Amino acid sequence: MNKKITFLTLIILISIITIIGVPLSLMPPDAALYATISKHMHLNNDFINLYSLGNDWLDKPHLPFWLTALSFKVFGISNFSYKIPGVLIFFMGIWATFKFTKETYNKETALIASIILSTSLHSVISNFDVRAEAYLTGFIIISLYWLYKYITLRKFSYLIIGCFFCSLAVMTKGIFGLIPIIAAIGGHFIVKKEWKEIINPMWIIAFLLIAIFIIPEIYALYLQFDAHPEKIIFGRKNVSGIKFFLWDSQFGRFFNTGPIQKAGGDIFFFLHTIIWAFLPWSLLFYIATFFKIKRNVKKVQQKEEFYSIFAALTSILIFSLSKFQLAHYTNIIFPFMAIITADFIVKLKDKYVYFKKAYSIIQWFLIGISILIIPLLYFIMVPSFNFVFLLIFILCILAIIIVVKNKLHPINRLFYYSAISFCFLYAFMFTHFYPTLFKYQGGVHAAKFINKNLSNEQIYLIDNNGHNFGFEFYLNSSVKRISNKNLSNKTNYIFYVNNKELDFLDQESIRYKIIKTFNSYKITRLKGKFVNKKTRSKTLKKVHLVRLL
């Protein structure tokens, strides 16, 4: 049997699992917030201004919203059309990871790196809970691949392509998106002692190209913010969107001096976050990194690839020193971590044969955990059975049979077993775990109830600076906001309210009739009591649709 079938079978399995996750509801706050902003952009044909909660919104650059709004125009407003641009760009990143690894290592390492990237826990979650990182992961590795091609072959067209994708990364998250790319190239030149390359005037041209390519973002920020100093942003006037984009949103966050601040951070946050986010490959990544550094400390192996190690470690260091520490930040360096790990797995066959037993213990332990956690969660959650999961189970068994029949090297065989076992776990997450919990997204279900039963009614929110992104995105009509000071004499108005707002209506003696009540829970803040069906009811809050009388 052709050994390529093993790889293709796993890619098909990963693709099916991704497809299963795409139609699932968005999770507030971030994904639903971005979807709501894109929805406003699409419905109003306004590709310049970013709005949230009825106000100008200054936080992230425009590119993900542009791409999502275009997707809405092509496919209509849905979970699928929101997620598909990010998912496609991420899969482009898998392709770039394969190409880069194949050209700097070999085809076997490239295949393994591609599978590692696509089966890492947070990669899979980020393709279902799509945020900026799905875009950024793809853009960064694609950028590095084409810049590597330029460094190797000196074709100016490769430099242009590389800089174009660099600009897309910048227009996704800001100039900090260039950190892994600059660290990768700079580290490569330093280790290889290619000093002339560091001061090559072509890099000035590269930065000029990036500056030209990001003009659409600069122009949009100017029109919305810099051209309107009278607007109140972050509680003050004369706020420059361009300055925020180039400085405050990046260096301001790093030094905790910008308008959006955070109290502090744990310097080891990303080190222990990677342990779960990069499963089932995280422990191997740390071991692989140690051995890669060790074998190059005394004498640099000139034939080795160093882009990945500098991109990964420099980014982890900078993120760790930042006050802004979120788990999904690590996603953007997953391609580089995958390459380092894949190289180590291949080297286990000859260079590090003495580590085979430890590799087997680690991976079999993780395989066991991934399998055992499914019946454990099923017993705790008691979800409704989804027969799609049975289909994935059959595909996983088929994949295992193919691996066995191909008589692969024991190292590769265990690698594929690890990937398949976690695909099985992801299938359970997307067919049982999340669908069960999503029944308690009160805002989403309230919006769908309105669409079906109150589609001709104008819906209102009490403007108390709270956010209802899931409700707003899934509501077919627009919402209007009314200050809590202006609620009197609003007879027959329908409001979406939480318990706190309901208490306010009672305190102000404003009469109302409850149309429908929904159970609600913040899905992104999972706790054991919520996951457990027996204790779930104690964790739920209520949201309501009420008509003022």
Side-chain angles (χ1 to χ4, degrees):
M1 188 181 291
N2 194 325
K3 292 184 179 182
K4 288 182 180 179
I5 295 178
T6 308
F7 173 75
L8 292 174
T9 302
L10 199 51
I11 289 296
I12 292 169
L13 184 60
I14 293 163
S15 300
I16 292 173
I17 290 169
T18 302
I19 291 168
I20 292 171
V22 168
L24 294 179
S25 297
L26 307 182
M27 289 200 293
D30 287 355
L33 163 63
Y34 303 152
T36 303
I37 293 171
S38 302
K39 178 183 175 182
H40 181 277
M41 184 179 281
H42 157 61
L43 293 177
N44 293 277
N45 289 311
D46 181 359
F47 284 76
I48 296 297
N49 298 292
L50 301 179
Y51 288 109
S52 174
L53 303 176
N55 299 309
D56 291 279
W57 188 79
L58 181 59
D59 189 0
K60 300 290 190 298
H62 284 66
L63 183 61
F65 306 110
W66 285 335
L67 294 175
T68 306
L70 288 173
S71 181
F72 286 162
K73 289 195 175 297
V74 174
F75 302 109
I77 298 173
S78 67
N79 299 321
F80 170 85
S81 52
Y82 168 76
K83 295 179 184 181
I84 200 64
V87 170
L88 290 177
I89 290 167
F90 178 83
F91 272 83
M92 287 173 62
I94 295 175
W95 170 85
T97 301
F98 173 82
K99 294 289 288 183
F100 176 79
T101 311
K102 184 181 177 182
E103 294 181 25
T104 53
Y105 292 88
N106 52 59
K107 187 174 182 180
E108 181 186 12
T109 307
L111 293 173
I112 292 174
S114 302
I115 292 173
I116 289 174
L117 174 58
S118 56
T119 57
S120 299
L121 176 60
H122 224 279
S123 290
V124 175
I125 291 175
S126 295
N127 280 333
F128 132 77
D129 181 31
V130 175
R131 311 181 194 184
E133 282 65 34
Y135 296 90
L136 201 56
T137 303
F139 290 147
I140 286 175
I141 185 60
I142 296 170
S143 303
L144 182 64
Y145 170 64
W146 287 107
L147 291 174
Y148 157 77
K149 294 280 285 183
Y150 166 72
I151 292 168
T152 306
L153 301 175
R154 297 299 174 181
K155 288 187 67 173
F156 187 66
S157 59
Y158 293 158
L159 181 68
I160 295 174
I161 297 171
C163 290
F164 174 72
F165 280 100
C166 282
S167 72
L168 297 184
V170 172
M171 291 192 291
T172 297
K173 195 75 172 179
I175 57 176
F176 262 32
L178 297 178
I179 287 176
I181 302 167
I182 294 173
I185 295 172
H188 167 83
F189 287 148
I190 291 171
V191 169
K192 296 297 180 72
K193 297 181 179 180
E194 297 178 5
W195 311 114
K196 291 182 179 179
E197 289 297 335
I198 295 176
I199 58 174
N200 189 329
M202 291 304 294
W203 298 118
I204 297 176
I205 295 175
F207 281 111
L208 289 174
L209 285 170
I210 295 171
I212 291 170
F213 289 138
I214 67 171
I215 285 176
E217 175 65 29
I218 299 294
Y219 182 64
L221 290 168
Y222 171 79
L223 290 179
Q224 183 172 4
F225 299 103
D226 295 68
H228 296 280
E230 75 282 359
K231 288 184 176 181
I232 299 177
I233 312 295
F234 304 126
R236 64 178 188 271
K237 295 182 180 180
N238 294 302
V239 172
S240 169
I242 297 173
K243 178 177 177 291
F244 178 84
F245 171 63
L246 295 176
W247 182 264
D248 291 333
S249 70
Q250 307 293 299
F251 298 97
R253 291 194 182 200
F254 180 78
F255 295 111
N256 210 30
T257 58
I260 301 175
Q261 297 187 8
K262 201 169 185 178
D266 172 12
I267 196 170
F268 299 109
F269 174 82
F270 288 105
L271 293 179
H272 55 71
T273 294
I274 285 171
I275 292 176
W276 66 264
F278 199 57
L279 283 173
W281 319 112
S282 48
L283 296 179
L284 293 181
F285 163 69
Y286 282 126
I287 295 166
T289 301
F290 169 77
F291 279 114
K292 189 174 181 72
I293 294 172
K294 182 183 177 182
R295 67 177 176 262
N296 285 283
V297 167
K298 291 184 179 180
K299 184 179 180 181
V300 173
Q301 309 296 313
Q302 290 297 321
K303 292 184 178 181
E304 278 215 41
E305 178 269 324
F306 291 99
Y307 295 97
S308 299
I309 194 78
F310 279 98
L313 296 189
T314 303
S315 299
I316 291 172
L317 175 62
I318 292 176
F319 293 161
S320 297
L321 295 174
S322 169
K323 300 295 182 182
F324 277 76
Q325 298 178 346
L326 298 171
H328 51 267
Y329 281 14
T330 58
N331 286 44
I332 68 173
I333 55 171
F334 276 11
F336 309 109
M337 293 165 59
I339 293 167
I340 296 167
T341 307
D343 176 46
F344 175 70
I345 290 173
V346 172
K347 283 184 168 61
L348 281 172
K349 298 176 188 177
D350 46 38
K351 193 175 183 66
Y352 298 119
V353 277
Y354 58 88
F355 206 82
K356 281 183 180 180
K357 188 173 182 180
Y359 166 74
S360 296
I361 292 171
I362 291 169
Q363 293 312 112
W364 277 118
F365 173 76
L366 292 172
I367 289 169
I369 293 295
S370 70
I371 294 173
L372 290 174
I373 200 172
I374 294 174
L376 177 63
L377 284 173
Y378 195 93
F379 175 77
I380 293 172
M381 298 180 70
V382 196
S384 301
F385 187 76
N386 187 330
F387 283 95
V388 175
F389 181 63
L390 187 59
L391 171 63
I392 301 297
F393 173 73
I394 294 170
L395 289 174
C396 287
I397 296 298
L398 177 62
I400 291 172
I401 292 172
I402 291 172
V403 171
V404 172
K405 286 193 172 183
N406 268 331
K407 297 180 180 180
L408 301 171
H409 189 285
I411 296 296
N412 293 63
R413 188 164 61 243
L414 182 53
F415 167 76
Y416 279 109
Y417 289 159
S418 301
I420 293 167
S421 69
F422 268 74
C423 283
F424 188 49
L425 174 60
Y426 301 146
F428 176 80
M429 290 168 57
F430 291 158
T431 57
H432 291 82
F433 184 79
Y434 283 115
T436 299
L437 303 186
F438 282 176
K439 294 176 183 178
Y440 303 96
Q441 293 200 101
V444 174
H445 294 290
K448 291 180 179 179
F449 176 84
I450 293 169
N451 295 340
K452 185 177 180 180
N453 301 284
L454 302 167
S455 58
N456 295 323
E457 299 270 8
Q458 173 63 56
I459 308 301
Y460 295 84
L461 294 172
I462 298 176
D463 191 7
N464 59 356
N465 294 322
H467 59 72
N468 301 282
F469 302 130
F471 176 75
E472 291 193 52
F473 175 69
Y474 286 98
L475 189 67
N476 289 341
S477 58
S478 60
V479 297
K480 291 186 178 180
R481 290 175 171 77
I482 296 179
S483 168
N484 54 15
K485 298 177 182 179
N486 300 317
L487 288 175
S488 57
N489 301 320
K490 301 299 181 186
T491 305
N492 213 36
Y493 280 35
I494 296 180
F495 282 82
Y496 170 72
V497 298
N498 55 33
N499 280 342
K500 185 178 179 181
E501 292 164 334
L502 206 63
D503 290 340
F504 174 80
L505 295 179
D506 290 333
Q507 291 169 10
E508 297 297 315
S509 299
I510 299 174
R511 296 175 61 239
Y512 60 86
K513 175 185 177 182
I514 295 178
I515 300 172
K516 193 170 180 63
T517 296
F518 304 86
N519 289 318
S520 189
Y521 185 89
K522 292 184 178 180
I523 305 297
T524 52
R525 298 180 182 179
L526 288 181
K527 292 184 179 180
K529 287 185 178 181
F530 172 65
V531 174
N532 190 336
K533 186 176 182 179
K534 293 180 180 179
T535 56
R536 187 177 299 152
S537 60
K538 298 177 182 178
T539 67
L540 301 177
K541 295 184 178 180
K542 304 289 185 181
V543 291
H544 318 270
L545 291 174
V546 302
R547 187 185 297 274
L548 300 193
L549 302 176

